[in-house]
Amino acid sequence: MSIRVEKIDSITNVGNLDLYKVRQVLSSSKIPTEQKIKFIKKNHSEISHLVDQKISSTDFKTIMDNRPLKLFRPLKNSYTKAGDKRLLAIALGIKPMEVDGYIKNINLQVRSMQDLNAMGISPDKYEEVKTYVFRHGTKEQLINFLDYELSHAKNIIKMLYHTLEYNSGGIADYFIRPIHRLDNGTMLGIYNTIDKNLKASRASGKINDVQAQETAEWALARIYKIQNNQRLQNAIKLKKTLE
């Protein structure tokens, strides 16, 4: 079963929607972002009805990964955040007003490196919260979840290369938004977290000395690049404002 999309009308008028079809449209690499946005707007009521009925961990992650945020559009993104929180509440099976407390609780467990299963937090629930945190969480939460991810990574180098690249749903994408300023303190916190986990992986024999050193240097250069990209974006925004 597949959806072929050639024209905008063909996705704005898809009949008998189900979550499978919605996921196919949103995850398609052949459909431009503008068409996906129009698809969401055109089918907003139907999609809302679907997610009210059922949404899995995979469904939630797919929607988050393919729901674009807009540069320099804080009001638009605030509306999107509210929608994302509602989707997370449905995925977790709780009320929207309970989401912030739920995230804070998991953040405490993650920060102290607790066994989440022992705390009654399933892998699916953790993944749903992590996806949301890497999109809308606080900087502190972001660093805590990064630390937890790296400490449990089967391949720490692969994970780092993924999260520090754009369009990955990771660190780089979090700081593409001007509202999430990559200040020097946060940059230091991120790098120290990466360096600590690389040293731990080297000590446990998962990576060698050369891999640890080269990856640490690459990560530091990459973080600086992300920060400089953000400064460039803010300069462009200021220029447009003054024109």
Side-chain angles (χ1 to χ4, degrees):
M1 179 178 177
S2 62
I3 297 177
R4 291 181 60 87
V5 181
E6 302 295 338
K7 297 181 179 180
I8 187 66
D9 289 344
S10 64
I11 67 169
T12 55
N13 294 294
V14 175
N16 300 317
L17 275 180
D18 57 31
L19 281 174
Y20 177 79
K21 291 180 180 178
V22 173
R23 285 175 54 196
Q24 275 203 312
V25 171
L26 296 182
S27 62
S28 174
S29 60
K30 297 180 180 179
I31 303 174
T33 297
E34 292 76 13
Q35 291 189 10
K36 291 180 182 180
I37 293 173
K38 193 167 184 179
F39 168 77
I40 293 172
K41 290 181 178 178
K42 181 73 174 181
N43 298 283
H44 176 74
S45 297
E46 291 83 354
I47 294 173
S48 295
H49 179 65
L50 285 172
V51 298
D52 274 336
Q53 293 179 318
K54 178 183 179 182
I55 181 170
S56 68
S57 174
T58 303
D59 292 328
F60 177 74
K61 188 176 188 308
T62 300
I63 293 173
M64 292 301 100
D65 287 347
N66 293 279
R67 193 169 181 181
L69 292 166
K70 297 294 185 181
L71 286 176
F72 315 131
R73 296 285 297 278
L75 293 178
K76 170 69 175 178
N77 288 332
S78 294
Y79 175 80
T80 302
K81 180 180 179 181
D84 290 352
K85 179 178 287 189
R86 180 169 174 269
L87 287 171
L88 178 59
I90 294 169
L92 294 172
I94 61 178
K95 297 178 181 178
M97 66 181 66
E98 298 173 331
V99 167
D100 288 342
Y102 193 98
I103 293 173
K104 288 180 180 178
N105 176 56
I106 291 188
N107 179 58
L108 290 174
Q109 310 308 323
V110 164
R111 185 175 63 185
S112 56
M113 294 293 171
Q114 295 289 332
D115 181 344
L116 297 184
N117 281 325
M119 303 299 295
I121 302 170
S122 70
D124 277 354
K125 301 304 182 188
Y126 166 76
E127 285 296 323
E128 288 155 3
V129 172
K130 182 191 75 174
T131 299
Y132 183 88
V133 165
F134 272 76
R135 187 175 173 89
H136 299 297
T138 66
K139 294 173 185 176
E140 178 194 4
Q141 290 169 348
L142 183 78
I143 293 175
N144 289 339
F145 274 75
L146 174 65
D147 192 14
Y148 190 86
E149 286 288 290
L150 294 178
S151 68
H152 290 80
K154 293 181 179 179
N155 187 330
I156 189 173
I157 295 176
K158 182 178 180 181
M159 179 174 287
L160 279 172
Y161 272 85
H162 179 74
T163 193
L164 291 176
E165 290 294 338
Y166 292 109
N167 302 313
S168 67
I171 297 292
D173 289 335
Y174 179 88
F175 289 107
I176 197 69
R177 299 172 62 194
I179 192 173
H180 295 152
R181 298 296 300 275
L182 183 48
D183 55 84
N184 290 336
T186 301
M187 183 175 68
L188 182 61
I190 291 173
Y191 180 74
N192 285 343
T193 298
I194 292 172
D195 188 58
K196 178 190 72 173
N197 282 284
L198 284 172
K199 289 178 179 176
S201 291
R202 182 185 61 190
S204 64
K206 293 181 180 179
I207 59 176
N208 59 40
D209 290 347
V210 174
Q211 290 174 315
Q213 181 65 27
E214 290 182 347
T215 305
E217 291 175 358
W218 174 85
L220 181 59
R222 184 63 193 166
I223 295 169
Y224 268 108
K225 184 175 181 180
I226 292 170
Q227 186 183 57
N228 288 334
N229 284 347
Q230 190 179 69
R231 287 171 176 167
L232 176 61
Q233 292 158 8
N234 288 330
I236 293 172
K237 178 185 178 182
L238 178 62
K239 183 176 182 299
K240 289 183 178 179
T241 302
L242 295 175
E243 287 178 346

